[in-house]
Amino acid sequence: MSVARRPCLVRLTGGLASGKSTVARLLEARGVPVLDADREVHRLYETGAAGATAVRRLFGESVLAAGGGVDRDALARRVLADGAALARLNAAVHPLVRAAVEDWVHGLAGSAEPPPVAVVEAALLVETGGRDAYDVLVVVWCAAGQQLERAVERGMSEERARELLAAQLPIDAKQAAADVVIDNSGTREALADELDRAWREVLERCAACRG
């Protein structure tokens, strides 16, 4: 694959209810190719897929649904309170996700008109490594209290939201690791303006990567 044809690869991340999926949809509406890594995990957790096989090997039948796919709620209950179990899960599943991302990027690079920039949306990156595979790391940020409030507004129980937040790297730490930060502490209209600013910065960084 020619390096010149490979898109500048941007990782879009953030914490629970920080707004990264909203940003991903806004970018897709602008014609930017976006891969949802969580959707790839869903695919890997389907019956007979490699992720389901790995999860079954690690944790047995108790985290599987009736059809043999992964019961994500049962899996979350199994690993969220057990750091060692979560580490084993990440070690087994994240290489599969990375392979899916590589296949996607390869397809974009081999297309008739390769896009200049491609985005991978994923909740975890800073926690699980893999930063070196990306040219630019973008973090969508809002205050931790807003994360909790927004998650509850979406219908999640406060207890579950607190569990998930505790299992993730604090949003301020993710912000500190970012190349570009998108502030989503305001309104939807403010987010659109903030994305305009941030995306200009992303494009500048991508141009610098290309030399």
Side-chain angles (χ1 to χ4, degrees):
M1 181 194 309
S2 169
V3 174
R5 292 173 63 85
R6 176 189 175 278
C8 176
L9 196 56
V10 176
R11 189 68 174 248
L12 174 67
T13 191
L16 175 70
S18 62
K20 67 177 178 56
S21 294
T22 300
V23 170
R25 289 193 295 271
L26 291 171
L27 290 173
E28 284 184 308
R30 299 180 181 199
V32 179
V34 177
L35 177 70
D36 182 345
D38 191 55
R39 197 170 298 156
E40 290 301 309
V41 173
H42 275 282
R43 182 182 61 80
L44 288 164
Y45 282 174
E46 291 174 355
T47 302
T53 300
V55 168
R56 180 180 182 179
R57 185 173 61 250
L58 286 171
F59 305 115
E61 303 284 343
S62 64
V63 296
L64 300 183
V70 175
D71 182 331
R72 292 183 61 137
D73 288 336
L75 180 62
R77 289 192 297 270
R78 174 66 180 81
V79 303
L80 283 180
D82 185 339
L86 181 59
R88 292 197 303 273
L89 176 66
N90 287 338
V93 173
H94 282 285
L96 302 175
V97 178
R98 285 195 292 270
V101 171
E102 289 170 4
D103 287 345
W104 180 68
V105 173
H106 185 87
L108 292 174
S111 62
E113 296 185 12
V117 182
V119 174
V120 176
E121 175 200 352
L124 302 179
L125 174 64
V126 180
E127 297 94 327
T128 58
R131 171 66 181 87
D132 291 345
Y134 295 86
D135 300 300
V136 183
L137 174 61
V138 177
V139 170
V140 183
W141 178 91
C142 66
Q146 287 180 302
Q147 289 181 268
L148 179 61
E149 181 181 339
R150 289 171 179 178
V152 172
E153 285 176 353
R154 295 176 186 176
M156 185 177 292
S157 71
E158 182 173 340
E159 180 183 6
R160 179 64 185 280
R162 289 188 183 278
E163 286 178 349
L164 291 174
L165 285 170
Q168 295 180 352
L169 192 69
I171 191 68
D172 289 344
K174 288 189 176 186
Q175 180 187 19
D179 297 312
V180 178
V181 174
I182 297 176
D183 185 345
N184 187 30
S185 59
T187 64
R188 178 67 178 263
E189 292 73 20
L191 176 60
D193 292 339
E194 174 69 359
L195 179 57
D196 286 340
R197 177 207 59 78
W199 195 246
R200 287 193 296 270
E201 187 175 348
V202 168
L203 295 178
E204 289 172 1
R205 286 181 173 272
C206 284
C209 287
R210 298 293 170 170

